[in-house]
Amino acid sequence: MSTILIAGTSRGIGLGLVSEYLERGWQVIATVRSEPPPDLRALERTGRLKIERLEMTDRGQIASLAQRLAGTQLDILFVNAGILLARNDPIAQVSDEDFARILVTNALSPLRVVEALAPHVAPAGTIVVMTSGLGSVALNTSGGTEAYRASKAALNTLARSYAARDPKRTVVAMGPGWVKTDMGGPGAVLDVATSVRGIADTLAKAAGKGGSHFLKYNGETVPW
Ligand code: NDP
């Protein structure tokens, strides 16, 4: 049975990914940073879901999760968690606190999780970080959502740097599309089920390729 660890599964796309991989017959380790919500708890009835605690910005919690994974081999490590701050502020109006918080949460912490948990990923396994099309430097012709864009561009750069040091594993920066969640809002174009189905299909095709890839949920390659 294949095993995936998904970080950030209390709601939104992360919760949808847990459900999708359980439906596909996988063993799922799902992390939350506070009390697991009923929708996630309900999925424990499958007998293939293990819920773990992880506040991604807490290095001690990352280290203890790595210890608790002793003896577990992951086929996919998927760091999904992320935040959106200062959505409408041009960059000069973003406070130091918000800029630091979004960079630490969206870029530094995911790679700390990757570095700490990579020893538990199968030698030809896949490491995924949830980025955004807004993280593409090449596609940024409109500006806007600037602190968030910068954090996802930093995440992409750090993921590529990691991949250069770990070329056998496949490293994917995944763009989920614009999805109806607390972050995406009700006006988004995709429902969670469509996004996560596409993400799982895309990761199945990328498995074993090695190197770094910036992919969208529908399998398209995104320019870095
Ligand atoms: P939500 O805001 O609905 O959910 C965010 C998830 O991340 C929650 O489970 C939240 O946990 C968790 N989280 C946030 N900060 C931390 C932290 N420090 N430690 C642990 N968990 C944390 O977002 P989405 O589901 O929409 O987004 C998921 C990912 O997809 C994010 O990385 C986002 O940037 C990305 N994305 C989303 C898009 C969209 O349209 N929705 C578009 C492009 C990218 P808690 O409930 O405890 O706060």
Side-chain angles (χ1 to χ4, degrees):
M1 193 186 294
S2 301
T3 303
I4 183 169
L5 184 146
I6 307 166
T9 62
S10 60
R11 56 198 164 95
I13 300 169
L15 180 59
L17 284 168
V18 174
S19 182
E20 181 67 25
Y21 276 95
L22 287 171
E23 271 176 36
R24 291 177 186 226
W26 285 51
Q27 185 84 38
V28 178
I29 302 168
T31 80
V32 287
R33 58 176 165 170
S34 52
E35 199 49 40
D39 288 355
L40 183 62
R41 277 260 180 251
L43 296 171
E44 287 181 310
R45 67 174 182 270
T46 58
R48 285 180 283 107
L49 171 62
K50 187 167 181 215
I51 301 175
E52 290 278 4
R53 278 301 165 100
L54 180 65
E55 162 54 64
M56 197 172 55
T57 59
D58 183 324
R59 283 202 254 188
Q61 289 194 24
I62 296 174
S64 51
L65 176 61
Q67 279 178 359
R68 293 198 299 281
L69 289 177
T72 302
Q73 180 162 274
L74 305 173
D75 299 281
I76 301 180
L77 166 61
F78 198 139
V79 186
N80 165 71
I83 56 170
L84 171 56
L85 295 174
R87 183 197 297 252
N88 299 316
D89 296 345
I91 197 64
Q93 289 174 25
V94 176
S95 67
D96 291 7
E97 292 72 23
D98 278 356
F99 195 69
R101 192 170 148 225
I102 202 165
L103 264 287
V104 168
T105 305
N106 287 358
L108 181 58
S109 301
L111 267 294
R112 281 188 173 146
V113 174
V114 166
E115 295 265 0
L117 303 192
H120 299 287
V121 179
T126 305
I127 293 171
V128 192
V129 293
M130 192 68 102
T131 186
S132 163
L134 296 180
S136 166
V137 173
L139 293 181
N140 183 5
T141 53
S142 65
T145 325
E146 295 179 11
Y148 179 79
R149 272 184 197 277
S151 72
K152 293 296 191 180
L155 172 66
N156 290 355
T157 292
L158 296 177
R160 285 199 73 163
S161 302
Y162 175 81
R165 291 186 274 115
D166 187 6
K168 291 218 172 93
R169 295 198 178 96
T170 304
V171 176
V172 176
M174 176 62 72
W178 185 21
V179 188
K180 293 184 215 297
T181 62
D182 294 339
M183 187 186 293
V189 295
L190 296 175
D191 57 26
V192 168
T194 304
S195 174
V196 298
R197 198 181 319 120
I199 288 170
D201 287 345
T202 298
L203 291 179
K205 287 191 194 120
K209 287 195 169 158
S212 56
H213 309 264
F214 187 177
L215 300 172
K216 250 173 99 169
Y217 77 99
N218 60 5
E220 283 173 20
T221 294
V222 186
W224 295 97

